[in-house]
Amino acid sequence: MLPRIGFIGCGAFSTSCLYPCLRLLANGLEPYGSEPEVELVACCDMDERLAARNARAFGFERFYTDHRAMLEKEELDAVFVVMHPQLQPALAIEVMNSGRNVYIEKSPAKTLVEVRAIQEAARRTGRFCQVGFMKRFSEPYVMAKNIAARPDFGRLSVYESRKARNAPYPPVYDFLNDFVCHHLDLARYFMGDVEYVYAELVSRTDDPDNLNARLFEHDDVFRKWATVLRDNPHVPQSDGYLITFRFTSGAIGVHNANTLETDTNLLERVTLTGEGAVVAVEDWYRVRAAIKDQPPLFWEPLVIDKSVEARLLQTGYFGEVREFIAATREGRSTAAATIDDGVACLELVAAVRASIAEGRRVALADVRAAALVS
């Protein structure tokens, strides 16, 4: 029996990055496998036009405008919930309460309270929740992790990364929570758990009239944010963060995240330093490594393939979707990022905010202890 899949949300991101992965898996296209791996049952969006479009374009049997009707009427094994982080927690919990596994996008929630509620629902229902940190499945990053795991690489000692955005960030999202979260997760993926952080912020967002705060006075702003931004004056976020880490392993790290740069080939880089060894991923594309007494290593795709299929493989979207389907089919937990990783990420976000506000390093243990008290 193929896993039967539902999908809640037919917005621009899911339509361009996730639905195509499901279409590939449903049709068994080479070179991804000669047999179908999933059955696409129903998709849902409050906008009937979008729901009908995605059902038709990607091969879902039916479409809905009411997710509760879909959950009640359809025999589903798992459901994708891809919405604004403000909307995902309640929907993810509904899906798990109905007995299905759930996939949600990063960031899983806006607050620690909400993400921990998802975590509790997963434990209570016995369903798993996978979080869309797709960089863990990206070909260059997987290669870098494998190189760093070689015995001759030595102990991981220093982590250095940067992720710049070539335009200011829309104020209906949170740059730190909803964007920087990718590299907070990558830090843990490569280096393990974080002991403490110290962070600094430089802001070039000038909003003396509190235009951005007024955006949130609009009804349903999180469902109709594109329309709200189009129709109302606002000030995009122009900020920069510098975050330093001490990992529980004893290693150290630093991350530069900002929305202050122009479109160059330097927007993303991750460097891992071992002992007499280093590996770097440049531009989410190219891998360079040097290990003492070894020939240098270099990798990049032999052919620049701009097809949708190639992009989904290189970026990791296809890998994470396929893992979610496989784990559902095999009745196991996912090997991808789980809701526990989502909680860890939002704990890091909380620690960064506290460090900036208080001008000191903040231990993750203190963030967890504060949550228990509250």
Side-chain angles (χ1 to χ4, degrees):
M1 295 289 291
L2 298 178
R4 294 171 58 84
I5 299 300
F7 205 120
I8 302 173
C10 298
F13 166 76
S14 61
T15 299
S16 63
C17 295
L18 299 177
Y19 278 94
C21 300
L22 289 168
R23 179 171 56 192
L24 289 171
L25 290 168
N27 288 288
L29 299 179
E30 296 289 359
Y32 311 106
S34 59
E35 297 295 331
E37 298 180 27
V38 68
E39 183 177 346
L40 305 182
V41 177
C43 61
C44 176
D45 196 280
M46 291 181 65
D47 186 328
E48 184 174 5
R49 177 183 59 87
L50 296 181
R53 178 201 67 186
N54 279 27
R56 180 178 62 254
F58 297 103
F60 284 79
E61 297 169 14
R62 287 170 290 282
F63 66 88
Y64 291 80
T65 57
D66 182 341
H67 72 277
R68 291 192 176 95
M70 184 183 79
L71 293 177
E72 291 172 2
K73 294 179 180 179
E74 300 291 353
E75 293 183 10
L76 302 171
D77 299 304
V79 178
F80 287 75
V81 174
V82 181
M83 312 284 285
H84 190 284
Q86 184 77 24
L87 306 174
Q88 288 189 146
L91 289 168
I93 291 170
E94 277 193 66
V95 169
M96 288 187 287
N97 284 341
S98 74
R100 285 90 169 206
N101 297 326
V102 66
Y103 171 105
I104 58 177
E105 258 307 320
K106 63 82 195 166
S107 172
K110 298 296 288 184
T111 69
L112 269 172
V113 170
E114 293 168 324
V115 75
R116 285 178 173 138
I118 303 173
Q119 183 185 52
E120 189 281 328
R123 292 171 177 171
R124 172 173 48 79
T125 62
R127 300 292 88 195
F128 73 78
C129 175
Q130 180 173 315
V131 181
F133 288 117
M134 81 292 183
K135 290 180 186 286
R136 293 182 176 216
F137 285 85
S138 174
E139 190 173 10
Y141 284 127
V142 170
M143 186 174 298
K145 189 173 178 67
N146 289 337
I147 291 171
R150 290 171 45 168
D152 51 0
F153 196 86
R155 292 169 295 180
L156 279 168
S157 302
V158 181
Y159 173 83
E160 179 186 1
S161 64
R162 74 186 320 271
K163 178 57 179 169
R165 181 178 166 87
N166 58 10
Y169 205 65
V172 293
Y173 281 86
D174 182 310
F175 176 58
L176 178 62
N177 187 67
D178 303 336
F179 187 78
V180 181
C181 65
H182 266 311
H183 277 257
L184 295 179
D185 181 70
L186 272 185
R188 293 185 62 251
Y189 172 69
F190 285 120
M191 308 296 291
D193 287 333
V194 176
E195 181 180 349
Y196 63 78
V197 301
Y198 177 78
E200 295 276 9
L201 167 68
V202 58
S203 181
R204 301 294 184 238
T205 305
D206 187 14
D207 185 17
D209 298 321
N210 292 318
L211 296 176
N212 291 348
R214 296 178 190 174
L215 295 175
F216 299 97
E217 298 173 1
H218 291 268
D219 293 336
D220 218 10
V221 62
F222 298 111
R223 294 185 187 275
K224 302 176 181 178
W225 61 266
T227 301
V228 172
L229 289 181
R230 183 193 65 199
D231 296 342
N232 294 274
H234 60 276
V235 182
Q237 301 166 70
S238 297
D239 301 323
Y241 290 85
L242 190 66
I243 305 167
T244 61
F245 308 91
R246 169 71 73 174
F247 299 95
T248 57
S249 66
I252 57 175
V254 62
H255 178 59
N256 164 10
N258 73 78
T259 63
L260 300 166
E261 300 186 19
T262 188
D263 191 4
T264 73
N265 63 348
L266 298 173
L267 293 178
E268 180 164 344
R269 182 174 61 238
V270 170
T271 303
L272 310 175
T273 301
E275 297 174 274
V278 63
V279 59
V281 178
E282 302 168 344
D283 307 324
W284 200 3
Y285 173 78
R286 185 178 299 108
V287 181
R288 300 179 186 272
I291 300 175
K292 186 177 181 180
D293 300 327
Q294 300 288 332
L297 301 173
F298 176 79
W299 176 90
E300 66 180 9
L302 293 176
V303 178
I304 299 176
D305 185 345
K306 295 184 178 180
S307 67
V308 171
E309 291 86 350
R311 179 174 61 84
L312 296 174
L313 278 170
Q314 181 183 328
T315 55
Y317 290 113
F318 183 83
E320 67 170 357
V321 170
R322 194 176 203 183
E323 168 58 19
F324 179 67
I325 299 303
T328 296
R329 181 180 65 248
E330 296 164 12
R332 58 173 173 82
S333 181
T334 177
T338 67
I339 194 58
D340 294 341
D341 296 301
V343 169
C345 185
L346 264 74
E347 288 174 344
L348 276 171
V349 169
V352 167
R353 293 197 199 285
S355 179
I356 292 169
E358 301 169 18
R360 64 178 180 87
R361 71 186 192 190
V362 174
L364 274 296
D366 293 341
V367 173
R368 299 182 191 109
L372 290 174
V373 171
S374 62

